[in-house]
Amino acid sequence: MAKKRQLDAKRIVVKVGTSTLIHPNGKVNFHAIDQLCYVLTGLVNDGKQVVLVSSGAIGVGMGQVGLHERPESIPAQQALAAIGQSGLMSVYQQRFSLYGQRIGQILLTHDVLEYPLSRQNALNTFNSLLEWGVIPIVNENDTVAVDEMDHHTKFGDNDQLSAIVSSIVDADLLVMLSDIDGFFDKNPHKYADAKLFERITKIDETTLEAAGGKGSKFGTGGMMTKLKAAKRMLENDKMMILANGQDPAIIFELIKGEPLGTLFVKEEK
Ligand SMILES: Nc1ncnc2c1ncn2[C@@H]1O[C@H](COP(=O)(O)OP(=O)(O)O)[C@@H](O)[C@H]1O
Ligand SMILES: N[C@@H](CCC(=O)OP(=O)(O)O)C(=O)O
């Protein structure tokens, strides 16, 4: 059994993927969202500062419109995000209020963070919310983000977004919840003998070769984008844990240092 980790994290970013928030049949996973709101409120009540990066706008939008496959067309995806983002926030608002926890919505595009002045404004907002004990809930502003030759405003995916947000707010730890127990030496959905890494201290070509594609029809990035996010965290000398979000109460165990999921960290912790 691996030994307990010494994390000592005060400012924590938690990223939840669509596969944690939406059932494979397209319905909202209220149990997971309830648990998530309960756990994150518990962390704030325990004196931690918590930022939630939540995907799910397009997934919730698809459910509300009754679509079973993600449309190819960008305007259609953007319209679904417009529908789903407000639906998602109203679920969060309702569930967090059960525990008396206040939340704020922050929708970002990449260009905002490239301009020092707007980046500073975003940071000021984060800092005020965190000092007030509010949980900022962040997503990409999907309805305006585009990726064209002369105009790059997309983060690409929320794994990158969560690592960038972690660096802006100078978070100690990024907890990334997905539909898988952590990072394996090969895709466990394809190979029954895949082995879980408890700890990764550097990300090189060999590490990246173990990453396969996305696992669910709603997810976007697969393991590659999670490893890129981890690389960003390691470059900033910060930690990331990739763990299974099926039961978000796992976050309590992770913060206590239980050796669950995969810890990405530069040196021994
Ligand atoms: N080496 C690997 N270790 C773990 N999962 C992997 C690996 N390679 C590919 N995957 C796939 O990545 C999926 C997680 O990514 P994704 O579907 O984008 O989830 P999310 O919606 O949580 O962002 C897993 O379910 C798995 O199928
Ligand atoms: N901004 C998009 C999420 C994009 C994304 O990266 O999704 P995921 O792979 O589920 O984290 C949305 O809210 O649907």
Side-chain angles (χ1 to χ4, degrees):
M1 181 68 180
K3 67 175 177 131
K4 254 188 147 180
R5 300 162 178 158
Q6 294 297 318
L7 299 178
D8 301 324
K10 159 89 176 159
R11 201 169 256 205
I12 301 160
V13 174
V14 174
K15 187 260 168 176
V16 277
T18 310
S19 56
T20 302
L21 303 168
I22 313 273
H23 289 294
N25 65 7
K27 303 277 186 203
V28 174
N29 186 339
F30 286 107
H31 175 73
I33 295 181
D34 274 349
Q35 280 290 98
L36 184 65
C37 296
Y38 166 74
V39 174
L40 298 188
T41 303
L43 294 185
V44 173
N45 290 349
D46 193 30
K48 310 282 186 203
Q49 294 185 325
V50 178
V51 176
L52 174 62
V53 175
S54 174
S55 303
I58 294 175
V60 170
M62 283 167 62
Q64 290 188 345
V65 171
L67 286 178
H68 297 290
E69 294 297 330
R70 194 179 171 121
E72 299 259 312
S73 130
I74 299 294
Q77 290 184 25
Q78 291 178 313
L80 289 172
I83 297 168
Q85 179 65 26
S86 60
L88 185 63
M89 285 307 291
S90 73
V91 176
Y92 277 129
Q93 185 75 59
Q94 192 194 33
R95 294 323 212 249
F96 270 116
S97 69
L98 283 177
Y99 305 108
Q101 177 60 51
R102 287 164 305 150
I103 57 171
Q105 174 182 253
I106 300 191
L107 297 178
L108 293 171
T109 48
H110 199 267
D111 51 337
V112 165
L113 305 178
E114 273 165 13
Y115 293 103
L117 189 59
S118 49
R119 186 186 172 104
Q120 185 59 49
N121 276 302
L123 175 60
N124 293 346
T125 308
F126 274 114
N127 280 336
S128 298
L129 292 170
L130 292 171
E131 278 157 25
W132 295 343
V134 177
I135 297 180
I137 302 185
V138 185
N139 198 355
E140 178 153 14
N141 191 351
D142 291 308
T143 58
V144 299
V146 288
D147 223 347
E148 289 173 355
M149 279 175 64
D150 57 345
H151 195 58
H152 293 276
T153 60
K154 270 188 89 58
F155 290 98
D157 58 82
N158 276 8
D159 297 332
Q160 304 306 308
L161 173 62
S162 63
I164 292 169
V165 166
S166 300
S167 115
I168 291 172
V169 303
D170 198 25
D172 308 303
L173 173 68
L174 167 60
V175 175
M176 195 173 285
L177 297 182
S178 185
D179 62 348
I180 198 90
D181 289 342
F183 175 50
F184 290 74
D185 60 350
K186 48 195 163 190
N187 187 348
H189 285 147
K190 288 197 186 144
Y191 303 94
D193 63 339
K195 287 189 186 55
L196 176 71
F197 292 108
E198 193 271 317
R199 182 181 299 254
I200 293 281
T201 51
K202 74 170 188 309
I203 293 170
D204 53 22
E205 282 307 309
T206 329
T207 328
L208 296 174
E209 274 165 21
K214 64 176 185 167
S216 73
K217 62 181 171 180
F218 300 110
T220 54
M223 197 44 54
M224 184 59 85
T225 54
K226 292 173 191 5
L227 291 184
K228 285 188 185 158
K231 194 161 191 277
R232 217 183 258 270
M233 295 301 289
L234 292 186
E235 278 162 7
N236 290 334
D237 210 2
K238 303 287 181 180
M239 297 173 285
M240 176 178 130
I241 300 176
L242 175 64
N244 199 323
Q246 196 183 16
D247 182 0
I250 194 173
I251 297 175
F252 281 141
E253 306 303 313
L254 295 172
I255 301 296
K256 276 193 267 168
E258 293 302 333
L260 300 165
T262 304
L263 171 68
F264 296 86
V265 65
K266 253 188 175 164
E267 81 269 6
E268 203 55 25
K269 293 253 180 193

